[in-house]
Amino acid sequence: IRFYTIILELKKLINPPPSPLVVKDGFVSAFKFMSKKDTISNVFNLNSNSFWDSCWIVFFVNAVVSTLASYGIKANLDGDFQSGILPRLLLITVIDICLFSILVNTIFEKIGKGDAFYKFIIPFNWIQSFQAILMLSFAILGLILPPSIFVFFGIGVVIWVTFSLWRIGKEEVGLSGWGATGMIFLSVVIEASLGMFSRSLSMTM
């Protein structure tokens, strides 16, 4: 009964997954901001519902990437290892989303910008997901066409996305240039650390 109560409480806190229309609008909004066609306040709804939508899309996109990675690794692994790798990858994704959101909120509260949390985290999540989809598309096309064709496109996307993420902190939230850079670095460090932890855990199991 207690477990059931906990599940009900979590359902009250966490919004259900976004509809396809919300997903489409989110990516369109991300593209508009990245293309400098509009500001974050004009293209994104900055509220708790939009926050959960952005978290869900990060999870979904990473779930797709993790699934493809899992099937790619499966060819060289035994059955027991296969059955456990995907759940671990998905768990790492959930931890990544939660940890980064908590740290960003804590940092913003400490520097007196707590009201800018949604303005930062919502577009940040959507833009990162936009990058993941583009890079995944390049990887899939690379199986059909020469991979070298997409090298320059991939580098261009990474530069474009990194600059857009930097603009969120610098131009929209009002952080210093180094502060905006630090937020990107924080995201990279969390992802890299969790990725290394996941690989080390896989090696020992």
Side-chain angles (χ1 to χ4, degrees):
I1 297 177
R2 184 178 180 183
F3 177 76
Y4 180 72
T5 303
I6 293 174
I7 295 298
L8 289 178
E9 291 299 321
L10 286 175
K11 289 179 67 176
K12 293 179 182 178
L13 294 174
I14 302 175
N15 286 12
S19 67
L21 181 60
V22 171
V23 174
K24 178 188 74 70
D25 290 342
F27 283 124
V28 169
S29 297
F31 182 77
K32 285 182 178 179
F33 174 73
M34 294 170 70
S35 303
K36 295 187 176 182
K37 293 181 179 180
D38 217 329
T39 62
I40 285 175
S41 298
N42 290 336
V43 296
F44 287 101
N45 293 318
L46 304 177
N47 52 48
S48 60
N49 290 334
S50 295
F51 166 69
W52 286 115
D53 289 341
S54 72
C55 291
W56 273 113
I57 199 61
V58 172
F59 176 77
F60 286 147
V61 170
N62 280 279
V64 172
V65 174
S66 297
T67 300
L68 293 177
S70 177
Y71 278 109
I73 296 172
K74 277 184 178 182
N76 300 315
L77 298 175
D78 58 71
D80 292 337
F81 199 82
Q82 292 174 18
S83 61
I85 187 170
L86 182 56
R88 287 199 295 272
L89 291 173
L90 296 180
L91 177 60
I92 290 296
T93 296
V94 173
I95 295 174
D96 181 17
I97 295 171
C98 295
L99 183 58
F100 183 65
S101 297
I102 292 171
L103 289 178
V104 169
N105 186 60
T106 301
I107 292 172
F108 278 24
E109 290 288 345
K110 292 293 184 181
I111 63 176
K113 291 186 176 294
D115 57 342
F117 172 70
Y118 287 150
K119 193 173 187 179
F120 178 87
I121 198 70
I122 291 173
F124 198 98
N125 285 343
W126 280 106
I127 291 174
Q128 281 199 319
S129 299
F130 184 79
Q131 177 190 16
I133 288 179
L134 285 180
M135 300 303 287
L136 180 60
S137 300
F138 292 161
I140 293 175
L141 290 174
L143 299 176
I144 304 172
L145 302 172
S148 57
I149 296 177
F150 302 101
V151 171
F152 292 109
F153 288 106
I155 294 174
V157 167
V158 171
I159 294 174
W160 183 31
V161 167
T162 302
F163 180 64
S164 298
L165 295 177
W166 183 84
R167 285 178 53 222
I168 297 174
K170 181 66 169 63
E171 299 176 5
E172 298 289 334
V173 176
L175 301 176
S176 65
W178 284 111
T181 302
M183 299 309 294
I184 299 174
F185 183 72
L186 175 64
S187 175
V188 173
V189 168
I190 292 175
E191 290 183 11
S193 299
L194 290 175
M196 292 176 62
F197 173 75
S198 178
R199 285 193 293 270
S200 64
L201 184 63
S202 299
M203 294 294 293
T204 58
M205 294 184 66

